[in-house]
Amino acid sequence: MKAALAIAAAASACSTIAFQSQSNLARRRSPSRLFAKKKGGGSSGQGFGAPNPSGGKKAPKYSIDDKSYDLDGASAADETPEEARSSMADFFATHDEWRPLFSHVMSNPTTSLGASPLASSFLSDIEAPEEMWGMSTLERRHPWRLLPGKPTAESSLQILSTFLDEWQQSLLDIPLDSIVTGDNDMHFLEEGRRTIAVTRFHVLDEHHNPELNGGESASSGEKDWEAELFRTCWSEVAHLSSQDDADTGSLVLLPNRIMGGEPEGAGLDYMRQFVEHKLLRPIRWLGREEDWEIVAMERGSLAVRLLYKLGEIPDLSERDSSGDEEIAL
């Protein structure tokens, strides 16, 4: 049963890259290729297309430890109330022009709130805008942007294509379970459903374009890519929250050339710190932590994945047992 579910998840995961055909990309992957690999990997312990190292072939590129969910990170318990208040004061003062968007995310009427969010006192003088995506946003009078669902530039599409190839490979490299625990199959399903939940794609490939930075020059010594990443991620948080469609998400890629290759501090650990301090903690202060799963990940290049209201894997045990009873009858 789990093997069948895994194959179904694999086929669904491949649909994530189906939009590439619309852009005439040279590099493509299809479900038929994935199934061809799976068919050749039927022995116990072999991966979802991953070659068996004992057979003298190349070892899988990704290991079972390369997971993108249930990652250990900081929690609200790591901050004292005094530290949280100091952090909030610094954050909202630094991003003062973003406060209308934060207020919008905090007061989104599609989700009920319990106790008042920690950030309430910092946003009490701000009313959430009636229309987040009106002319004022289109004319760029605000720092946030209404972004397209996917890039159009060929260079950005190629970067995205490479990332998706690597993402698919990380699924294929998950080894099959020996028939006892099902842990690897469940890991495959957890990764696969997060792959197909991503519905929007962004590449920070126009970092040096003054038009995308509000007319500002990107030649300063500051990490302009970090400011653009902040803008893109929070724009997507507000957009997905406004749409309120469960099991949807955005992927924001950072090509290596934007950051000059591999500058000091621009690795995965640094990106995890960015996600924790610039996204997760503020969302927690806004009282919306239950709505979001946000992680930094690396599949050839760095990315931030934002998932909105990700549901649980359906429990099919009752349906399966019911089917077995019907067969017995």
Side-chain angles (χ1 to χ4, degrees), residues 83 106 109 211 216 229 268:
E83 289 172 336
M106 183 177 69
E211 293 183 1
E216 300 173 359
L229 179 62
L268 183 58

Side-chain angles (χ1 to χ4, degrees), residues 166-180:
E166 289 289 318
W167 203 356
Q168 180 181 337
Q169 188 61 52
S170 71
L171 290 174
L172 297 173
D173 283 347
I174 297 174
L176 282 171
D177 275 315
S178 52
I179 301 177
V180 182

Side-chain angles (χ1 to χ4, degrees), residues 64-225:
I64 195 70
D65 296 324
D66 292 315
K67 60 188 300 187
S68 66
Y69 63 96
D70 289 345
L71 302 176
D72 293 332
S75 66
D78 296 331
E79 281 187 313
T80 66
E82 293 76 15
E83 289 172 336
R85 188 163 189 83
S86 175
S87 297
M88 284 189 287
D90 290 342
F91 180 83
F92 291 117
T94 301
H95 304 289
D96 181 70
E97 60 183 348
W98 286 87
R99 291 201 300 152
L101 181 141
F102 298 144
S103 179
H104 168 79
V105 172
M106 183 177 69
S107 62
N108 186 352
T110 61
T111 306
S112 60
L113 289 172
S116 297
L118 292 174
S120 296
S121 60
F122 292 91
L123 301 174
S124 59
D125 60 330
I126 297 291
E127 292 187 6
E130 295 183 2
E131 178 53 66
M132 282 292 299
W133 315 110
M135 287 301 300
S136 58
T137 298
L138 297 177
E139 293 175 352
R140 300 192 174 185
R141 296 183 225 158
H142 304 301
W144 58 88
R145 301 286 183 261
L146 179 59
L147 300 171
K150 64 182 181 182
T152 56
E154 184 66 22
S155 59
S156 297
L157 288 168
Q158 290 288 352
I159 291 168
L160 181 54
S161 174
T162 300
F163 183 94
L164 293 176
D165 284 345
E166 289 289 318
W167 203 356
Q168 180 181 337
Q169 188 61 52
S170 71
L171 290 174
L172 297 173
D173 283 347
I174 297 174
L176 282 171
D177 275 315
S178 52
I179 301 177
V180 182
T181 65
D183 289 343
N184 288 353
D185 287 351
M186 185 57 65
H187 173 48
F188 181 83
L189 292 174
E190 290 287 2
E191 290 287 359
R193 73 193 187 97
R194 285 167 170 79
T195 302
I196 63 176
V198 174
T199 53
R200 296 170 59 81
F201 303 86
H202 307 282
V203 179
L204 262 61
D205 198 24
E206 310 298 336
H207 159 66
H208 293 290
N209 186 339
E211 293 183 1
L212 292 186
N213 289 291
E216 300 173 359
S217 171
S219 60
S220 67
E222 299 180 358
K223 293 185 177 68
D224 296 293
W225 63 265

Side-chain angles (χ1 to χ4, degrees), residues 239-250:
H239 177 81
L240 292 171
S241 180
S242 297
Q243 296 297 306
D244 195 37
D245 291 329
D247 296 305
T248 56
S250 297

